[in-house]
Amino acid sequence: MSGNKVLKGVVLVGLGATSYGMLATFVKLAYKENYTTAEVIVAQFIIGIIGILLINLVQKKAKSDVVKATPKNIFHLMLAGTSLGLTSIFYYLCVKYINVSIAIVLLMQTVWMGVLLEWILDKKAPSGQKILSVIIVLVGTLLATKLYEADLNLDWRGLFWGILAAASFTTTMFTANKVGLGISSAQRSLYMLLGGAVVVLIFALLTQNTPFNFGIFTKWGIVVALFGTIIPPMLLNAGFPNTGIGLGSIVSSLELPVSVTMAFLILNEEVTLIQWSGIALIILAIVIMNINLKSAKSQ
């Protein structure tokens, strides 16, 4: 039974990561139809909030013993959700200027940023295993983004927003694992989305200088909300308890090859063998970081 639970968890986490991996390609397709970043992201958050709200209502009717969030929970989750909104803004701006296959690699810098943040906030020095993982990630990033090429023509704006997206996503992951843990994942997702929506709406008001194209809601808004806001959190929250953080993190790294493959097949982005080797190194680093070498040696 335990084996079946783990397998179920792996499938759920894998599907959730796959959904996230498809997201940037859909955003890029929306850009090709002249939708703005503000339009895409506002549609995603509004439709996402409605979807998660409906899930909460269904859960409330199905279970009478659902623990309600306190005002303190709500405040903390909304505050944590601001980094979620910023992550979407920064990542979608990144995708606007550079290829999806490179943008997702920049987002994966959360691997070493998470180690650094843990070191600073928890005063927890990284182990040799984590340091090795960080070195492998940096080498993999160098290959996957082709930064070693002297004549590389890479828009600096894409690099800037990509690194900011990774930093913001690191903050999101760090706070999400510490805030409002006693309430349902659907409630946590809802209040974090509401916090993110505040940031997103401010961004839209400041940057949208043309009439808002409401066609985004029926065209790409639904797709982006499903694959970026509704489906992945549900699947990941359902799968991680069965896989554990270590195995779950390894499986969730599927987001990287899925995103690059989607960009290659649908957007016709060029992905070289050297880039694929860099991507493989990043996945290897995630595996190394999340396996228990001590228990492996003792067996």
Side-chain angles (χ1 to χ4, degrees), residues 97-99 102 145-147 149-156 159:
Y97 296 111
I98 60 177
N99 285 351
I102 293 178
T145 56
K146 297 192 288 187
L147 286 173
E149 291 186 0
D151 59 344
L152 181 65
N153 185 24
L154 199 61
D155 197 314
W156 68 267
L159 288 171

Coordinates of all heavy atoms in Angstrom, one line a residue, residues 97-99 102 145-147 149-156 159:
Y97 N 11.5 38.7 -23.7 CA 12.7 39.1 -24.3 C 13.7 38.0 -24.7 O 14.6 38.2 -25.5 CB 13.5 40.1 -23.3 CG 12.7 41.3 -23.0 CD1 12.1 41.6 -21.8 CD2 12.5 42.3 -24.0 CE1 11.4 42.7 -21.5 CE2 11.8 43.4 -23.7 CZ 11.3 43.7 -22.5 OH 10.6 44.8 -22.2
I98 N 13.5 36.8 -24.1 CA 14.4 35.7 -24.5 C 13.7 34.4 -24.7 O 12.5 34.4 -24.3 CB 15.5 35.5 -23.4 CG1 14.9 35.1 -22.0 CG2 16.4 36.7 -23.3 CD1 15.9 34.8 -21.0
N99 N 14.3 33.4 -25.2 CA 13.7 32.2 -25.5 C 13.2 31.5 -24.2 O 13.8 31.6 -23.2 CB 14.7 31.2 -26.2 CG 14.8 31.6 -27.7 OD1 14.1 32.5 -28.2 ND2 15.8 31.0 -28.3
I102 N 15.7 29.2 -22.4 CA 16.7 29.8 -21.6 C 16.0 30.4 -20.3 O 16.6 30.4 -19.2 CB 17.4 30.9 -22.4 CG1 18.3 30.3 -23.5 CG2 18.3 31.8 -21.4 CD1 19.1 31.2 -24.3
T145 N 22.5 28.0 -21.1 CA 22.1 29.4 -21.6 C 23.1 29.8 -22.7 O 23.0 30.9 -23.2 CB 22.1 30.4 -20.5 OG1 23.4 30.3 -19.8 CG2 21.0 30.1 -19.5
K146 N 24.2 29.0 -22.9 CA 25.2 29.3 -23.9 C 26.0 30.6 -23.5 O 26.4 31.4 -24.4 CB 24.7 29.4 -25.3 CG 24.1 28.1 -25.8 CD 23.8 28.1 -27.3 CE 22.7 29.0 -27.7 NZ 22.3 28.9 -29.1
L147 N 26.1 30.9 -22.2 CA 26.8 32.1 -21.8 C 28.3 32.1 -22.1 O 29.0 33.1 -22.0 CB 26.6 32.3 -20.3 CG 25.2 32.8 -19.8 CD1 25.1 32.8 -18.3 CD2 24.9 34.2 -20.4
E149 N 29.6 31.5 -25.0 CA 29.8 32.0 -26.3 C 30.2 33.5 -26.3 O 29.4 34.3 -25.8 CB 28.6 31.8 -27.2 CG 28.3 30.3 -27.5 CD 27.2 30.1 -28.5 OE1 26.6 31.1 -29.0 OE2 26.9 28.9 -28.8
A150 N 31.3 33.8 -27.0 CA 31.7 35.2 -27.0 C 30.8 36.1 -27.8 O 30.6 37.3 -27.5 CB 33.1 35.3 -27.6
D151 N 30.1 35.6 -28.8 CA 29.2 36.4 -29.7 C 27.8 36.2 -29.4 O 26.9 36.3 -30.2 CB 29.5 36.1 -31.2 CG 29.3 34.6 -31.5 OD1 29.2 33.8 -30.5 OD2 29.1 34.3 -32.7
L152 N 27.5 35.8 -28.1 CA 26.1 35.5 -27.7 C 25.3 36.8 -27.7 O 25.6 37.8 -27.2 CB 26.1 34.9 -26.3 CG 24.7 34.6 -25.7 CD1 24.1 33.4 -26.5 CD2 24.8 34.2 -24.2
N153 N 24.2 36.7 -28.5 CA 23.3 37.8 -28.6 C 22.0 37.6 -27.7 O 21.0 37.2 -28.2 CB 22.9 38.0 -30.0 CG 22.0 39.3 -30.2 OD1 22.1 40.2 -29.4 ND2 21.2 39.3 -31.3
L154 N 22.2 37.8 -26.4 CA 21.1 37.6 -25.4 C 20.7 38.9 -24.8 O 21.5 39.6 -24.3 CB 21.6 36.6 -24.4 CG 20.6 35.8 -23.5 CD1 19.7 35.0 -24.4 CD2 21.3 35.0 -22.5
D155 N 19.4 39.2 -24.9 CA 18.8 40.4 -24.4 C 19.0 40.5 -22.9 O 18.5 39.7 -22.1 CB 17.3 40.5 -24.7 CG 16.8 41.9 -24.6 OD1 17.1 42.6 -23.6 OD2 16.0 42.4 -25.5
W156 N 19.7 41.5 -22.4 CA 20.0 41.7 -21.0 C 18.8 41.8 -20.2 O 18.8 41.5 -19.0 CB 21.0 42.9 -20.8 CG 20.4 44.2 -21.0 CD1 20.4 44.9 -22.2 CD2 19.6 45.0 -20.1 NE1 19.7 46.1 -22.1 CE2 19.2 46.2 -20.8 CE3 19.2 44.9 -18.8 CZ2 18.4 47.2 -20.2 CZ3 18.4 45.9 -18.2 CH2 18.1 47.0 -18.9
L159 N 17.6 38.4 -19.1 CA 18.5 37.9 -18.1 C 18.1 38.6 -16.7 O 18.0 37.9 -15.7 CB 20.0 38.2 -18.4 CG 20.6 37.3 -19.5 CD1 22.0 37.8 -19.8 CD2 20.7 35.8 -19.1

